Amino acid sequence: MSEPILELRDLRVSITEHPDIQIVKGVDLTIRPGEVHALMGPNGSGKSTLANAVAGSPAYKLDSGQILFKGEDVTAMTADARARMGMFLSFQYPTAIPGVTMVNFLREALKARRGQEMPAREFLGELRETLGTLKMDESFARRYVNDGFSGGEKKRAEILQLGMLKPDLAILDETDSGLDVDALRTVAEGVNALRTPHIGILIITHYQRILNYITPEVVHVLVEGRIARSGGAELALEIEENGYDPILRELGAVEEVVS
Amino acid sequence: MAETTTQTAAVPAPYAEDAVTAAAERRGEPAWLVERRREAARAFAATPMPTPALRPWKYTDVTALDIGGFAPVGQSPTTVQGTPPAGGFAGSLADALADAAHAEQVRQHLGTLVPATEGKFTAANQALWTGGAYVYVPRGQAFEQPVVVTLDVPAGDAGAVFPRLLLVAEAQGEVNVVLRNTSGDAPLLAPGVFEIFAGPDAKVRVLVDGRWGDATQEFTTIRSRLDRSADVLVASLALGGRVVKQTTEALLEGDGANSTIRGVALGDGEQHFDFVTLQDHSGEHTTSDVAIKSALAGASKSIYYGITRVGETAAGAEANQENRNLLLSGRAKADSDPVLEILTSQVIRCGHAATVGPVDQEALFYLQSRGLSSRQALQLMVAGFFRTVLAGIPLEGLEEDVSAVVVEKLATAEL
């Protein structure tokens, strides 16, 4: 079996400003090249915390555990070092950066990712093509990063970056939230266009609907900072039909026995 | 004789009345100008240095600064490039005075908007400026290209220079002026005076591009008087210098006049910036907008004190003031104080906003998550922070130019 793209070993994460509050309480997860994993779970279960911690956000603190990326221990690495190695986080709430145009930002990001400047003609060609795939107008590239973007535009802009940066691991943090059906389909097509036997994808979502367009190999359910269940694509359908309650009840029963 | 000795002790030679007069006569200046220089020298001797007790000088203490210790740097190394329309002028004040077609206009305007008696630095400037620039736009005419005034003090030249601009735009006249200031690392004092007269419907854009060396101290007063529906923009780039103190004022006298003031300061080390602005509305339906942004690394400092005054006669006025300060290091400091003085109840809108704080940590992480180091991320964010203020200044390549300076300066700045 090929070497995992991402391996989380007993990851425990708290909030930097509140070190006493642990959000992720021991997660093990392995994603291999070519696999799409979905991480589902009710609000507040720690999905976004996990995503941000894996990407290296200083807002979160690792209490213990290890993050292996392409076989290398990146636990102590800064977010930018992880990104240059090929990690990508699509933000749930992308931040506005006034005064910085999308095109400038993308050029700088690509330069950092590749370790060298890309010829302008090649860069613009690729940008045009990716914009086209995502049904985005070219004027989009001249706007300031996420500044005044609608919810849907922000999510598309994330996928635009994903398409340009071509990472080895893409973590999509609720990229489906706030999108209407057409936008969701466009975004999903953008993600599918990137699926190769080499990339690993972790889709974090509250709902099953994006998984109608992007079929996952594995579905995990995160509850109170722990993976409560893992299964195939059918697990997502089960949640779609019955909600999280059956799993929560089951978990409650287990905890009762333990206590 | 005893009296002369006393005066010499108080006012060093180049700033003393006799020396000022002798220098003016040596340059062959007309009698009226020699007389104004004498007045300025007397005002210089009689005016005390401003103290921090005066609000605009609260955070810039110059009481220990000995202006007299800075001897004028020979002939001020100023060049003026510009092609005026028919009847117009772009050149040195000395050339304008030697030209019968322009000397009278200069006499009528020079020193009338910023009188020498106003303060120590303005008096020093009026007494000793050489190589100042004069720009004249005749009625209904426009300069096709920006007028570029370059003051390039050679590296190693210590002393004082006195930047001076007189700009007169007649009705419907249009001009863009760029003042580029550079100097070396030797101690330099630069008290500047810029006077801008904008006639009815005139459109004037002035950019002060300050890239002084590390030991230059600038104290400048920029004042514009706006006639009916005149539109004046004054923008300043404070990218160099040890101390940069600029007082930028717009007197909105004519109905419908519009003033825009823009400023950008990028600090590192011990750099000290101090911006004072005044938007003085007296005409009806006048509008004004101030936006000044500082990004501060090292132990640099930025001070902003701005007054929006809306007089009793300024019914229908609209004014806005914005000052934003990014602290890029734990040692950088900023103080921001926007003030409103509204004397009429018939104001349309008067706003002010001031912020002092570190960069947005979420934005920083966002950029880092795309592979940019924290320093690269800050370079991009600061360039963007400035870009939002510079947008709208009609000078080709300005934003790219400023971005390049940001990248270069922050490559080594203490963050």
Side-chain angles (χ1 to χ4, degrees):
Chain A
M1 231 177 179
S2 55
E3 186 172 35
I5 287 281
L6 181 72
E7 208 179 340
L8 306 182
R9 293 181 184 162
D10 191 30
L11 203 65
R12 291 166 195 268
V13 184
S14 60
I15 300 169
T16 307
E17 284 189 9
H18 300 278
D20 50 317
I21 306 176
Q22 195 172 74
I23 310 280
V24 174
K25 300 167 180 169
V27 165
D28 291 274
L29 185 71
T30 302
I31 301 178
R32 291 178 195 283
E35 289 182 350
V36 174
H37 287 228
L39 183 67
M40 302 183 71
N43 285 330
S45 59
K47 303 187 297 292
S48 280
T49 297
L50 182 76
N52 279 276
V54 172
S57 167
Y60 299 96
K61 184 177 144 289
L62 255 61
D63 294 328
S64 66
Q66 251 186 330
I67 302 168
L68 300 179
F69 179 43
K70 299 197 285 187
E72 199 173 325
D73 188 343
V74 300
T75 316
M77 275 189 197
T78 57
D80 49 298
R82 296 179 201 194
R84 286 193 296 272
M85 276 180 71
M87 197 187 275
F88 182 91
L89 170 65
S90 168
F91 283 63
Q92 184 179 2
Y93 303 109
T95 317
I97 307 177
V100 178
T101 59
M102 284 297 294
V103 62
N104 268 358
F105 165 54
L106 281 167
R107 188 177 291 147
E108 290 298 317
L110 265 172
K111 193 165 87 181
R113 170 89 171 97
R114 297 183 176 203
Q116 60 179 39
E117 191 107 42
M118 199 172 165
R121 183 189 288 261
E122 194 185 323
F123 168 76
L124 290 173
E126 207 159 302
L127 177 59
R128 248 178 231 127
E129 197 186 311
T130 317
L131 281 166
T133 311
L134 293 167
K135 299 187 176 69
M136 294 163 90
D137 194 84
E138 285 186 19
S139 64
F140 204 79
R142 292 191 294 273
R143 291 172 65 185
Y144 295 155
V145 177
N146 298 320
D147 196 25
F149 285 19
S150 70
E153 284 173 334
K154 281 184 187 171
K155 296 303 170 80
R156 271 182 226 219
E158 294 294 287
I159 304 306
L160 171 67
Q161 294 166 50
L162 175 66
M164 294 292 287
L165 291 168
K166 299 191 174 53
D168 300 312
L169 171 70
I171 304 169
L172 310 181
D173 188 6
E174 302 219 7
T175 299
D176 54 338
S177 66
L179 294 182
D180 62 33
V181 177
D182 291 332
L184 180 65
R185 189 180 296 126
T186 308
V187 163
E189 281 166 6
V191 174
N192 281 327
L194 288 164
R195 284 183 78 164
T196 65
H198 312 289
I199 190 173
I201 298 177
L202 179 62
I203 297 177
I204 291 174
T205 181
H206 190 74
Y207 303 105
Q208 185 270 344
R209 57 176 200 153
I210 192 172
L211 305 178
N212 288 335
Y213 302 96
I214 310 169
T215 314
E217 270 76 26
V218 188
V219 175
H220 309 274
V221 181
L222 193 68
V223 178
E224 290 179 3
R226 291 184 186 91
I227 290 180
R229 274 182 70 182
S230 295
E234 71 286 349
L235 178 55
L237 293 168
E238 197 184 309
I239 289 168
E240 170 81 352
E241 203 166 302
N242 307 321
Y244 291 105
D245 280 355
I247 297 170
L248 293 174
R249 268 200 300 276
E250 196 179 307
L251 211 66
V254 170
E255 277 175 1
E256 269 172 33
V257 174
V258 170
S259 61
Chain B
M1 200 61 205
E3 201 186 312
T4 311
T5 312
T6 313
Q7 201 182 29
T8 310
V11 182
Y15 292 82
E17 188 180 340
D18 291 354
V20 166
T21 309
E25 283 168 345
R26 224 175 15 253
R27 287 189 297 265
E29 291 178 353
W32 65 264
L33 184 55
V34 176
E35 188 46 45
R36 282 191 205 174
R37 297 227 191 236
R38 293 177 83 103
E39 283 171 16
R42 284 199 293 273
F44 181 79
T47 309
M49 280 296 266
T51 73
L54 298 163
R55 180 58 191 85
W57 296 88
K58 185 173 173 185
Y59 297 101
T60 302
D61 187 351
V62 290
T63 47
L65 178 71
D66 175 22
I67 297 180
F70 294 84
V73 174
Q75 176 72 24
S76 180
T78 307
T79 56
V80 182
Q81 292 166 287
T83 312
F89 189 91
S92 72
L93 272 168
D95 288 347
L97 288 167
D99 184 336
H102 295 284
E104 181 56 18
Q105 276 282 4
V106 173
R107 190 186 68 78
Q108 283 175 13
H109 291 91
L110 189 70
T112 61
L113 197 49
V114 182
T117 49
E118 200 168 274
K120 195 81 173 172
F121 294 99
T122 52
N125 180 290
Q126 173 72 307
L128 289 166
W129 63 262
T130 55
Y134 177 58
V135 176
Y136 177 70
V137 197
R139 186 185 181 89
Q141 302 278 345
F143 278 71
E144 284 181 14
Q145 296 295 322
V147 176
V148 180
V149 181
T150 308
L151 172 56
D152 183 10
V153 183
D157 272 19
V161 288
F162 304 91
R164 184 98 197 182
L165 170 72
L166 174 62
L167 191 162
V168 179
E170 302 282 10
Q172 292 126 37
E174 284 186 28
V175 67
N176 297 341
V177 179
V178 183
L179 299 132
R180 296 193 196 286
N181 301 321
T182 56
S183 59
D185 292 334
L188 190 74
L189 183 70
V193 173
F194 303 155
E195 296 171 294
I196 299 163
F197 295 85
D201 293 298
K203 191 170 179 186
V204 175
R205 279 36 202 137
V206 174
L207 174 72
V208 184
D209 185 347
R211 305 196 190 190
W212 300 115
D214 292 342
T216 296
Q217 300 183 69
E218 175 195 335
F219 299 89
T220 300
T221 300
I222 306 168
R223 189 170 297 151
S224 48
R225 174 184 285 162
L226 289 77
D227 211 322
R228 183 173 42 77
S229 298
D231 183 7
V232 174
L233 174 141
V234 174
S236 172
L237 308 179
L239 303 172
R242 171 69 183 76
V243 174
V244 174
K245 180 167 173 70
Q246 292 175 346
T247 303
T248 306
E249 303 181 349
L251 311 180
L252 297 130
E253 297 180 355
D255 295 350
N258 177 52
S259 152
T260 307
I261 295 172
R262 294 283 178 264
V264 151
L266 179 61
D268 187 26
E270 301 286 323
Q271 284 186 287
H272 179 110
F273 305 106
D274 185 332
F275 297 99
V276 176
T277 63
L278 171 69
Q279 302 142 272
D280 192 351
H281 293 252
S282 49
E284 287 184 15
H285 298 286
T286 44
T287 50
S288 69
D289 185 44
V290 171
I292 290 176
K293 289 190 169 183
S294 306
L296 305 163
S300 63
K301 253 185 220 159
S302 186
I303 291 115
Y304 172 73
Y305 173 57
I307 299 172
T308 299
R309 184 183 295 147
V310 180
E312 287 170 18
T313 55
E318 280 188 69
N320 196 49
Q321 269 187 87
E322 186 183 348
N323 174 235
R324 312 239 175 240
N325 301 279
L326 270 186
L327 305 179
L328 304 176
S329 94
R331 297 202 298 145
K333 284 196 177 74
D335 188 86
S336 186
D337 189 3
V339 178
L340 299 176
E341 292 178 12
I342 315 289
L343 303 174
T344 171
S345 57
Q346 291 170 293
V347 164
I348 305 266
R349 188 181 55 85
C350 253
H352 62 143
T355 54
V356 176
V359 296
D360 178 353
Q361 295 301 305
E362 283 182 30
L364 188 62
F365 171 56
Y366 186 78
L367 292 175
Q368 284 188 268
S369 78
R370 300 304 184 243
L372 278 69
S373 69
S374 67
R375 191 174 287 268
Q376 287 170 326
L378 285 174
Q379 286 168 326
L380 203 60
M381 284 166 80
V382 170
F385 176 68
F386 287 162
R387 188 178 278 259
T388 55
V389 169
L390 301 174
I393 299 173
L395 270 176
E396 226 170 286
L398 177 67
E399 292 173 14
E400 290 73 15
D401 185 21
V402 172
S403 295
V405 173
V406 168
V407 168
E408 191 194 333
K409 194 161 175 176
L410 293 188
T412 56
E414 179 207 320
L415 303 175

